[in-house]
Amino acid sequence: MSDKKKVIIIGAGFGGLQVIKSLKNLSEFDITVIDKTNHHLFQPLLYQVATAVLSPADIAIPSRSITTNYKNVKILMSNVEKIDFKNKQVYFGEKSESYDYLILSLGAQTSYFGNDDWKNHTLGLKNLKDALEIRRRLLLSFEEAEVSGDPEVAKKLLNYVIIGGGPTGVELAGSIAELSHNIIRKDFRLIDPVMTKVTLIEAGPRLLSNFDESLSRFTKTKLEARGVEVLVNSPVKSIDAEAVYLQDKKIESKTIIWAAGVEAASLTKTFSFEKDRGGRILVDQYCLIKGESSVFAIGDVANFSENLPRPLPGVSPVAMQQGRYVAKYLKNLQKNKKTKIFKYIDKGNMATIGRKDAVAELGGIKMKGFVGWLGWLFVHLVYQVGFKNKFSTLTSWVWSYLTFRAGARLIQEEVKNK
């Protein structure tokens, strides 16, 4: 009988990848990774694919190429349909596999806060399919406006609404404004892309609520300087195919992007574990699901809140640190060593506003403007996976920065995701 422990990791995102890297080539573990895609995605840069600055291959790398030399790691591309926690069995496709330890790193999906019909009229941004559909819709709107030759028709087509004033919403708003006002401005003859209107809507009192208030004010000022209309204290009342409805305002748009909320991946709804309002599973101080001794939850799918004023945020540094922690926990378990409780080291927040402008809080240091942008650039390149991705991403950024061009402006056929 083998002494190897069978570890199943569901999801090859930031958290799952750190577990894989930490347990690679260790003879004590036999690792199976199950993921519905064949790639690891650098989600913080999805908005740059959506706005035609980067190509999908710049921010995604095949999972198998990462694990080529990891002899104890097996990759399976499949959708997990059911988990039998009592008998330690994971079901996917027409197969199943048993485990000694299970790590749920499922990630998150777009949440509409109970207004699920809004999904039919908006575009989310959680994966490459979403990013490519936003890119298709953006670029197509310019082409349709050019063909129409009618200023009124063009005005309606080039009116974009983004709902949610967090980092994703801010980054999208700034990038769309830059695309239309600078990058493609000279490419059209019958319309002037400067007529584009970008509206960013936030229900709360300010943008980037997790940042220092001074950085929120700076962000709002810089977005408005780029032509973005910023509406705060403006909760959305309704959305249909033609417009977004606020308390006292109707904003017509054929391109509405939802960046206002996320919830745990849908598979969690099938679990009987205790969850929060966003569907995240409550875990203890060891990242173990409460009541379980062999099932961990990390990243966006986990609510880690023990002895904390609020749960840890659903950001990549949390997932990565939890992934490394769980791997250490498993290694210590094999050595009969006790592991200290998980403690998150907050490395700060970052968000880019556009070319030359970003805001950042790193270790108590506040940065904004060009200095913030350089910090943002450095951190994102460091965390990119794979040399080719870093090199091609940097090359694309430098090209876009120096020439005010976007090199990924191909319009593909409609992505069927609804």
Side-chain angles (χ1 to χ4, degrees), residues 35-94:
D35 196 292
K36 60 185 177 183
T37 70
N38 78 327
H39 56 267
H40 170 77
L41 176 66
F42 193 79
Q43 284 185 315
L45 294 181
L46 268 176
Y47 80 96
Q48 294 214 1
V49 174
T51 52
V53 175
L54 298 177
S55 296
D58 292 328
I59 68 165
I61 184 170
S63 302
R64 293 187 186 281
S65 68
I66 299 173
T67 61
T68 298
N69 297 317
Y70 302 172
K71 302 306 180 185
N72 64 333
V73 177
K74 175 175 65 177
I75 303 285
L76 299 175
M77 180 181 165
S78 187
N79 277 309
V80 173
E81 296 156 0
K82 186 178 72 170
I83 301 174
D84 182 345
F85 294 100
K86 182 178 180 181
N87 295 303
K88 295 189 174 183
Q89 203 80 10
V90 177
Y91 295 85
F92 52 96
E94 296 181 355

